[in-house]
Amino acid sequence: MTTDTTTSATATEPSPAGTTGAFPDGFLWGVAFAANQVEGGFDQGGKGLSQADVIPYRTAGDYVDISALMKVSDAEIATAVASPGTAGYPKRSGSDFFGHWEEDVDLFAEMGLKALRMSIAWSRIFPNGNDAEPNEEGLLFYERLFTRLREKGIDPVVTMSHYEMPLHLVTEYGGWTSREVVGFFERYARTIVGRYTGLVRYWLTFNEINTTIIESYTGGGVIEREPAPGVDPRQAGYQALHHQFVASALATRIVHELDPAAQVGCMLARMSHYPASSDPADIVKAQFDNNMNLFHTDVQVRGRYSGTVRRFWRDQGITVVMEPGDEELLAANTVDFLSFSYYMSLVSSVSPEKYGATGGNLFSTIKNPYLATTEWGWHFDPEGLRYVLNDLWDRYQVPLFIVENGLGATDVLEGSAVDAAHDGTDTRRVHDDYRIDYYVKHLREVREAIADGVNLLGYTAWGGLDIISASTSQMTKRYGVIYVDADDTGTGSYDRVRKDSFYWYQKLAATNGAVLDEA
Ligand code: BG6
């Protein structure tokens, strides 16, 4: 964090009476990551290429227009497919969780975690996406992992698709724009839910489903192409999204049929918009922007598209093809809980040119003068998390789950693996007090929201281990409480080093949040 983050009014004040130790019994303290950013082993165990394996490393540079780093063209995919090995494609190496998973699970157990939010790589189970039979090696990998986690008292919280689909479905079918992909996903969902019945109690269908609109390659495997004359360029994204909603409803039905003890959640990148001023026009604009973020959860929790998005399509001339029965399917198969990521808040205005901009991983926003920003230009807004929790709870009245929240920062590894000055012992340390500060400030607000009456299942900090950044493909944008010794080029020992935040998070879990009362 480069900027002063003490702007959060409540951060340095004691909690109001009555909120101490307010996290409910059984609260799911955990960490979270995604297969495409952590696993590596991109060509091992029968895995096929995924859409993430072909994203090249590009110098991040302009963080304000970050979404450009997440797209790939047809030509770049062809080059990537012809490039063997991991060089230049960081998501092919990840953090080598594939090679270190047993050691990593031991570390998570040492932290006293109750949950690990992770995703299955679809391309590890169905290498091409449309294969008739699943890849047994891939199924076994996750079975061993889930079994080991459960033995350690850690619940896997499993996302079926986190920014990842088999590349073959991208290049040959147009990603989620194709209705056929719904059928392939249904087969995939039936396979994994059937296989892991009794092992997985919490399923999420699609990670940050709203990304399909914001960055359609990342969210929906849609390669950006010139649309046909007269067709709105956003139409492909909305069509892909509708197919994902249908696929998500089918997956929800499958879980409820095959494993009634398990629960299914949707997953939204919650981007709450504040009005830039008290001008009613700004307030209506912020309301519209919020409703356009929340129409996704309207579909998945309430079971129907909202008036806001239907009007938006009409006004913009966007046509979304729905098959007979789709709307009934959405209505009949709503989720059991709502999970979301929270990293920042945004600002809306009808006159954005009056204000400066700052960054985000998916798009930039007007700068909020009341908030500090992180090293990567993201608004730092712990109180906004309390606002979001209350808002979501009031709107939907289903249990909530914070499945991503954390700080991407440049960490400094001190000491050495074999330190001659210290009898050859390992003196490696990472003093990341800024990350602890980030958690303290956000979690105090979470506790306030629980005291406000919000029903919250758990909190899984992003990303547990250092991982490859989704947007910039950097390893040096570190999110973990466990350091992974590798750089942006994939060079390093991949050793794991406990950061100071590891020990703090361990205390957090052990005290069920009471450590937040320490200064
Ligand atoms: C979320 C994604 O949007 O943000 C994660 O679900 C991602 O996959 C996280 O890693 C942080 O973003 P970034 O771009 O800094 O990795």
Side-chain angles (χ1 to χ4, degrees), residues 344-373:
M344 68 194 107
S345 55
L346 307 174
V347 181
S348 297
S349 171
V350 288
S351 320
E353 66 286 352
K354 287 202 291 201
Y355 308 91
T358 192
N361 58 346
L362 298 167
F363 51 76
S364 63
T365 176
I366 291 170
K367 174 88 186 77
N368 186 330
Y370 298 96
L371 297 177
T373 53

Side-chain angles (χ1 to χ4, degrees), residues 258-494:
L258 297 186
D259 194 359
Q263 299 184 44
V264 191
C266 55
M267 196 316 201
L268 178 78
R270 178 66 184 114
M271 295 174 168
S272 61
H273 291 255
Y274 302 151
S277 75
S278 52
D279 177 349
D282 279 351
I283 291 173
V284 170
K285 174 73 169 74
Q287 184 179 49
F288 170 79
D289 288 340
N290 278 313
N291 283 337
M292 287 301 282
N293 179 239
L294 293 170
F295 89 79
H296 303 81
T297 33
D298 291 343
V299 173
Q300 295 184 287
V301 181
R302 290 176 167 161
R304 57 186 184 277
Y305 283 100
S306 64
T308 302
V309 69
R310 287 184 186 276
R311 177 179 178 177
F312 175 78
W313 290 341
R314 267 198 319 273
D315 290 352
Q316 303 293 318
I318 291 172
T319 309
V320 175
V321 178
M322 299 189 196
E323 287 194 356
D326 281 0
E327 290 182 87
E328 291 76 7
L329 182 87
L330 298 177
N333 296 284
T334 54
V335 292
D336 305 309
F337 65 92
L338 189 165
S339 78
F340 67 97
S341 62
Y342 178 82
Y343 290 97
M344 68 194 107
S345 55
L346 307 174
V347 181
S348 297
S349 171
V350 288
S351 320
E353 66 286 352
K354 287 202 291 201
Y355 308 91
T358 192
N361 58 346
L362 298 167
F363 51 76
S364 63
T365 176
I366 291 170
K367 174 88 186 77
N368 186 330
Y370 298 96
L371 297 177
T373 53
T374 71
E375 218 179 314
W376 269 262
W378 299 16
H379 280 145
F380 174 79
D381 184 10
E383 262 182 299
L385 181 52
R386 177 180 181 179
Y387 170 78
V388 157
L389 283 162
N390 273 285
D391 190 49
L392 289 173
W393 174 245
D394 287 348
R395 188 173 176 120
Y396 296 115
Q397 298 280 302
V398 294
L400 305 177
F401 198 158
I402 302 168
V403 293
E404 279 189 42
N405 176 237
L407 177 69
T410 309
D411 291 334
V412 178
L413 180 68
E414 296 176 6
S416 62
V418 183
D419 192 334
H422 291 81
D423 304 328
T425 51
D426 186 340
T427 56
R428 289 174 297 179
R429 301 282 181 274
V430 176
H431 301 302
D432 57 342
D433 51 318
Y434 38 86
R435 187 167 289 108
I436 297 170
D437 178 69
Y438 181 98
Y439 289 136
V440 168
K441 286 177 176 162
H442 282 81
L443 284 165
R444 283 181 177 164
E445 297 299 332
V446 171
R447 189 167 60 175
E448 295 305 319
I450 292 172
D452 293 336
V454 169
N455 180 352
L456 187 66
L457 295 172
Y459 174 93
T460 57
W462 191 257
L465 300 169
D466 291 339
I467 46 147
I468 305 298
S469 155
S471 55
T472 64
S473 288
Q474 293 170 289
M475 174 63 89
T476 47
K477 186 179 188 186
R478 295 182 182 274
Y479 278 96
V481 293
I482 299 166
Y483 187 90
V484 175
D485 180 33
D487 66 14
D488 288 343
T489 67
T491 308
S493 65
Y494 285 83

